[in-house]
Amino acid sequence: MIRLAASETLIPAPNIEYYELSPILIVFGVGVLAVLVEAFLPRAHRLHAQLALCLTGLVAAFVVVCTLTDEAQENARAVPQKVAAEGAVAIDGMTLFLQGTILLLGVVAVLLLAERRLGGEFAASAATVPGSAAEKETTRLGWVQTEIYPLLMFSIGGMLIFPAANDLLLMFVALEVLSLPLYLLCGLARRRRLLSQEAALKYFLLGAFSSAFFLYGIALLYGYAGSVRLSDINAAVSGSEDNDALLLIGMALLAVGLLFKVGAVPFHAWTPDVYQGAPTPVTAFMAAATKVAAFGALLRVFYVGLGGAKWDWHPMFWGVAMVTMLFGSLVALVQTDVKRMLAYSSIAHAGFILVGLVATNAEGLSATMFYLLAYGFSTIAAFAIISLVRDGSGEATHLSQWAGLGRRSPVVAGMFALLLLAFAGIPLTSGFTAKFAVFSASASAGGTPLIVVGVLSSTVAAFFYIRVIVLMFFSAPVTDGPRVAVPSLTTALAVWIGVAVTVFLGVLPQPVLDLADNASFLIS
C-alpha cells in the first residue's frame, strides 16, 4: 500500500504477475538490450551479438510459455484461466498457444534476417538517400544493418500482447507497438529502395487510418458499456435488449481496424504493394506472425467482449469471409509477380481462417489456431525460397523468370512446389489438414454455404499454384535466366524448418491438433 502524507488516503499497489507475463517481459527486455548493443558495441561485432541475443531471448520466452502450458493442462483448465496485470492481460489456452506460435515464427524469422552471403537484403544505412553518394559509400564500406533486430523484437513483443489483451486500451497499445517497427522495416530494402520506401509509406498511412478507426470504436464502446474491459463490455451487451447505435457502430469500427491487420477484403489494398516492396525476410515475418497476432485479437474481441452480440456481427463476418476467399483466389490468377501472387494468396487464406472464426465454438477456435500455425511456417519457407532465386539485379520475382527452374535446381523447386501444394490444400500437407479442420468446424455450426464457397475458392487457387509448378518443371529454362543462390546456414535452416513442419502437420497432425483442442478456451 502507498500512503499519501497529506490525506492519509491509502492507494492499493498494483499486483503484477511477473511469472505469467515473463514471455512478454523477456522479449521486450531483449529488445532493450539490443538497442544498447547498437549504441555501445563496435559495428564489426554487432551482427553476431544481435543474432545470439535475439535467438536466446525468443527460445527462453518459448520455454516459459511451454511451462505455463504444462501447468494449464495439469490443473485441468482451472488455475491458468486468470488475468494478470490488474486484469489487463488474459492468461488462457488461446493466449499461450498463439504466443508459442509467434515465438517459433520469430525464431525462424531471425534466422532469415541473418542472411548475409547473398549480399544482404537491407540497406547499409537507412538514413541515406537512394542513389546518393552517401549510400554508395556505406555500401562500399560493407556496413551491415543490425537495427532490424531490436525493431523485430519490439514488434514481436507487441504481437505477444495483442491476442492476450483483456481490455481495449491495452490492445490498442499493442497494435501500435507491433505495427510501428514493421512500418520502418518495410522501407529498409537494399535494392529497389524507392519501391520499398513507397511500400512503407503506404503501409504507414493506411495503418494509421485503421488505427484511428480502431480507437474511435474503443471510444464508442466505452460510451456504451462505461468500461474498456472486455468482460464488462460483454456484460453490458448481454444485459441489454436494445440495438444500441453506440454498440453497433463501435463494433463495426473495431472490426475495420482488426480486419485491416489480417488483410481481409475490403481492407486488403495495402497487402500486395507492401508484400512486393518490403525486404523479403520482412515480408515473410509480416505475412506469418502478424496474421497470428491479429486473428488472436479478433477472436478475443468478438468471442469474449462481443459474444453476447453474436447475431449482430456474425452475418458481417460471413460476408467478409466469402468475399475474401473469392477475391483473393480470383485476383491471384492474373498476377505475374511471385510475391504479389503470394500476397493475394494470403488474402484468400485470411478468408479461410475467418471460416473457422465464424463457427463461434471451441472446435472453430481450435481449427483457427491450428491453421495459423500451419500457414505461418509454410509462408516463411516460401518467401525464404523466393529470396534465393536471383539474377544480376537481385531477386527474380517475375513468373517468366521461373521457367525451367526445376531443371536447374530440382531440390529448391521441389520444396517450393510442396509449399504451393500446401497452400492449395492438397492431402498430406499441412494446408489440407488446416482447411479440413476449419471446414469441419464450420459444418458443425451450420456453415455449409461457407464451405461451398471455400471449396470453390480452393479449386480456383489450385490453378495458379499448379501453374507455377508446371512453369518450373515443364517449361524450357530461360536463356541467361536467374540462378538459385547458395544461402548461408541460417536461411537454409529456415527453409528446412518450414518444409519439415509443412510435411509433419500433413502426415502426423494429431499431436498438434490435440494441443490446439486443449488450448481452445478463453476467459469470459
Side-chain angles (χ1 to χ4, degrees):
M1 305 293 282
I2 302 174
R3 186 179 297 275
L4 297 180
S7 61
E8 300 295 325
T9 302
L10 297 178
I11 300 176
N15 182 31
I16 306 298
E17 295 79 359
Y18 290 102
Y19 177 56
E20 284 76 10
L21 298 175
S22 55
I24 300 170
L25 298 177
I26 289 172
V27 170
F28 279 125
V30 169
V32 173
L33 290 176
V35 172
L36 296 178
V37 168
E38 289 297 309
F40 297 107
L41 206 64
R43 185 180 296 275
H45 303 292
R46 290 177 193 169
L47 176 61
H48 294 96
Q50 295 282 28
L51 183 61
L53 181 62
C54 291
L55 288 176
T56 301
L58 292 172
V59 171
F62 180 74
V63 170
V64 177
V65 168
C66 291
T67 304
L68 291 170
T69 303
D70 289 339
E71 293 178 1
Q73 294 177 350
E74 290 175 2
N75 290 280
R77 300 186 178 185
V79 175
Q81 293 193 51
K82 59 184 178 183
V83 291
E86 294 295 308
V89 179
I91 308 297
D92 52 25
M94 188 197 77
T95 294
L96 297 174
F97 187 94
L98 294 185
Q99 284 184 342
T101 301
I102 292 168
L103 290 168
L104 288 176
L105 294 174
V107 169
V108 181
V110 168
L111 293 174
L112 194 55
L113 263 65
E115 174 60 58
R116 289 296 179 269
R117 180 177 293 178
L118 305 180
E121 292 293 332
F122 298 92
S125 176
T128 57
V129 177
S132 65
E135 182 188 43
K136 295 177 182 178
E137 179 64 16
T138 55
T139 302
R140 185 187 66 81
L141 293 173
W143 286 14
V144 176
Q145 185 77 276
T146 52
E147 294 91 338
I148 56 177
Y149 293 100
L151 290 173
L152 182 76
M153 296 306 293
F154 287 128
S155 183
I156 292 175
M159 292 177 184
L160 296 181
I161 300 175
F162 203 34
N166 199 42
D167 72 58
L168 294 177
L169 278 182
L170 179 62
M171 189 172 288
F172 174 75
V173 172
L175 172 63
E176 296 307 299
V177 171
L178 77 88
S179 298
L180 291 174
L182 289 178
Y183 300 152
L184 295 173
L185 289 170
C186 286
L188 299 181
R190 179 168 175 256
R191 298 178 176 88
R192 294 188 286 185
R193 288 192 63 195
L194 290 177
L195 182 65
S196 175
Q197 292 177 358
E198 179 187 350
L201 183 61
K202 287 179 179 178
Y203 193 20
F204 169 70
L205 291 177
L206 293 175
F209 277 115
S210 72
S211 296
F213 280 113
F214 189 83
L215 190 59
Y216 193 22
I218 293 174
L220 293 179
L221 287 179
Y222 178 77
Y224 172 78
S227 174
V228 293
R229 189 66 48 85
L230 293 179
S231 56
D232 295 338
I233 294 172
N234 190 52
V237 171
S238 302
S240 174
E241 298 180 357
D242 299 326
N243 287 330
D244 195 294
L246 287 178
L247 170 64
L248 297 178
I249 299 174
M251 184 167 56
L253 293 176
L254 282 184
V256 169
L258 293 172
L259 290 173
F260 172 86
K261 296 307 294 184
V262 305
V265 176
F267 313 107
H268 65 283
W270 62 276
T271 307
D273 291 337
V274 174
Y275 277 36
Q276 183 183 24
T280 300
V282 175
T283 302
F285 170 71
M286 183 169 52
T290 304
K291 258 191 175 51
V292 176
F295 268 105
L298 264 173
L299 290 166
R300 178 79 58 193
V301 169
F302 286 94
Y303 276 36
V304 177
L306 299 169
K310 171 185 173 181
W311 298 114
D312 292 317
W313 57 261
H314 200 249
M316 174 188 68
F317 277 106
W318 264 61
V320 171
M322 287 183 175
V323 174
T324 301
M325 288 186 289
L326 288 172
F327 180 87
S329 300
L330 291 172
V331 179
L333 286 172
V334 298
Q335 300 305 310
T336 58
D337 186 274
V338 180
K339 291 176 75 173
R340 289 185 74 89
M341 185 195 74
L342 289 186
Y344 282 104
S345 168
S346 77
I347 293 171
H349 281 285
F352 292 126
I353 300 171
L354 284 172
V355 171
L357 183 146
V358 298
T360 61
N361 54 28
E363 186 179 355
L365 177 59
S366 171
T368 300
M369 292 190 295
F370 180 86
Y371 202 121
L372 291 169
L373 174 65
Y375 176 75
F377 278 98
S378 299
T379 298
I380 287 187
F383 279 105
I385 290 176
I386 289 174
S387 70
L388 302 181
V389 182
R390 313 177 78 85
D391 58 16
S393 61
E395 293 175 357
T397 59
H398 198 279
L399 279 176
S400 62
Q401 297 174 290
W402 287 58
L405 188 68
R407 302 184 185 182
R408 294 194 301 269
S409 302
V411 175
V412 173
M415 289 192 292
F416 193 68
L418 172 67
L419 296 170
L420 292 177
L421 293 175
F423 292 143
I426 301 301
L428 299 182
T429 64
S430 61
F432 172 79
T433 309
K435 287 184 178 179
F436 184 81
V438 295
F439 289 164
S440 297
S442 182
S444 66
T448 303
L450 277 176
I451 298 174
V452 172
V453 174
V455 172
L456 291 175
S457 300
S458 297
T459 304
V460 173
F463 175 80
F464 62 79
Y465 292 130
I466 294 175
R467 179 186 64 176
V468 178
I469 297 174
V470 171
L471 186 68
M472 290 191 298
F473 288 96
F474 300 101
S475 298
V478 179
T479 304
D480 296 327
R483 60 184 178 84
V484 175
V486 178
S488 63
L489 177 61
T490 57
T491 299
L493 191 57
V495 172
W496 281 108
I497 289 174
V499 171
V501 172
T502 300
V503 174
F504 177 78
L505 294 181
V507 178
L508 295 171
Q510 199 57 50
V512 182
L513 286 171
D514 292 340
L515 183 62
D517 286 336
N518 293 332
S520 58
F521 60 96
L522 291 158
I523 294 175
S524 58

